[in-house]
Amino acid sequence: MPTLLITGSTGLLGSKLVRLAGERYQVVGFGRAAPEGPPLNYDFRAVDIRNRRAVTALTEQVRPRLIIHTAAMTAVDRCETSPREAEAVNVAGSEHVAAAAAVTGAHLVAVSTDYVFDGESGPYQENDATNHISTYGRTKLEAERRIAAICPTACIARTSVLYGAGPGVRSNFVLWVLGELRAGRPITLVGDQTGSPTLADDLAGLLLGLAELGATGIFHTSGSEPINRFDFGCRIARTFGLAAGLIRRGTTAELHQPAPRPKHSGLVVEKVTHRLGRSPLDVDAGLAALKRQLEAAER
């Protein structure tokens, strides 16, 4: 059975990949530390991605056929206030993974973001000019460039507004909205930030599909429907039978966030649709799938 190495395997996306690939691959995952709770059902190693020697040693030991690189510092405001940490994780960490892949001959698929764009004219295609406006976007774009320089056959998979649920994973936009609306608390969501919401389970399938095809270059791997945060919140409420009247439309300027956000972002997914022979989920299909998951978990 071939080996698949997953960085950030205890995160939302990484855990979805572990579950999806477990029957077809010998899965090895790593992160800074194992999460608390029941034992993991795969070969987990505590490795800090910022430690080049440790990343290289593990990769040379397990000799993976495929590497899917999901580990990243994705908290956009924290990246803005802690740029050195963001660079160490997102840039240096990605360079370490790419170098290890190059040494072992593993095919690398690395996850990136629509925040490499400035959000002036989205949704974006793969060959549109990049222009980051935040530390997070800058570090992820630099990671793309270093990965491509070290591993010219690597695949860069950009995504947008990742959401989903799973044991031990941290909250995300959809789970936060659900929690607030279920508690009857009013919330403000911006109507001037557009992205392409992406169910983590669906993204895991796209990434594994690209890895198995040996895809190279840049692919946009997000949900298929761009939508602003306010309208997305209303669709969440509708899907889960909650009160959309609790949602107020606001603006980005009202939030006073440390990091600027791309306003008119989102990704065009025609290329990955053609390559894999299926379209990523749209907003309603993704939310319906999440609803089924959450209901099943409550039984």
Side-chain angles (χ1 to χ4, degrees):
M1 186 178 290
T3 299
L4 167 65
L5 179 62
I6 301 170
T7 77
S9 61
T10 60
L12 173 60
L13 178 57
S15 64
K16 300 296 184 180
L17 279 162
V18 168
R19 183 173 182 178
L20 180 64
E23 294 184 0
R24 310 203 309 262
Y25 293 89
Q26 179 67 40
V27 175
V28 179
F30 74 81
R32 291 190 194 182
E36 296 180 0
L40 298 171
N41 60 349
Y42 65 97
D43 185 358
F44 175 84
R45 312 290 181 91
V47 171
D48 190 333
I49 200 169
R50 297 170 296 181
N51 186 328
R52 183 179 188 129
R53 289 185 179 180
V55 172
T56 300
L58 172 61
T59 309
E60 290 183 338
Q61 178 188 358
V62 303
R63 308 295 298 188
R65 177 183 296 180
L66 305 173
I67 300 175
I68 301 182
H69 174 38
T70 77
M73 184 173 170
T74 58
V76 180
D77 289 330
R78 184 177 158 205
C79 287
E80 203 69 21
T81 57
S82 303
R84 290 186 179 179
E85 184 181 4
E87 289 165 7
V89 175
N90 294 343
V91 181
S94 294
E95 186 176 81
H96 301 162
V97 173
V103 167
T104 59
H107 183 59
L108 173 62
V109 175
V111 179
S112 191
T113 174
D114 61 337
Y115 276 50
V116 299
F117 299 106
D118 57 20
E120 294 297 318
S121 57
Y124 293 96
Q125 299 185 34
E126 286 83 355
N127 59 356
D128 285 333
T130 55
N131 185 30
H132 57 78
I133 59 173
S134 67
T135 298
Y136 174 60
R138 175 178 62 79
T139 57
K140 292 298 285 184
L141 182 59
E142 181 60 24
E144 289 188 13
R145 291 170 174 164
R146 295 200 189 184
I147 289 168
I150 296 167
C151 289
T153 61
C155 175
I156 304 294
R158 294 174 180 151
T159 196
S160 173
V161 194
L162 186 67
Y163 70 93
V169 302
R170 65 185 177 92
S171 189
N172 49 71
F173 179 79
V174 174
L175 297 185
W176 174 77
V177 169
L178 287 175
E180 295 301 291
L181 295 183
R182 284 171 171 166
R185 290 188 288 265
I187 58 174
T188 297
L189 301 179
V190 299
D192 60 355
Q193 281 185 34
T194 296
S196 298
T198 309
L199 180 67
D201 308 72
D202 196 38
L203 178 56
L206 299 176
L207 297 176
L208 191 58
L210 290 171
E212 291 176 334
L213 288 175
T216 65
I218 298 172
F219 283 82
H220 285 177
T221 55
S222 68
S224 60
E225 182 182 355
I227 189 171
N228 68 60
R229 294 294 181 113
F230 173 80
D231 289 340
F232 186 33
C234 292
R235 298 272 279 275
I236 294 168
R238 185 180 71 189
T239 299
F240 286 85
L242 299 169
L246 290 170
I247 306 173
R248 171 187 170 271
R249 181 189 291 267
T251 65
T252 299
E254 294 176 47
L255 302 181
H256 303 291
Q257 296 165 309
R261 265 66 168 178
K263 289 190 176 180
H264 305 289
S265 191
L267 300 171
V268 176
V269 294
E270 291 178 0
K271 182 179 178 181
V272 75
T273 297
H274 177 74
R275 187 62 188 271
L276 296 182
R278 74 169 184 90
S279 177
L281 298 180
D282 62 16
V283 169
D284 288 338
L287 290 175
L290 177 62
K291 186 172 184 284
R292 290 192 296 270
Q293 286 180 24
L294 294 175
E295 289 174 343
E298 291 172 357
R299 295 191 190 112

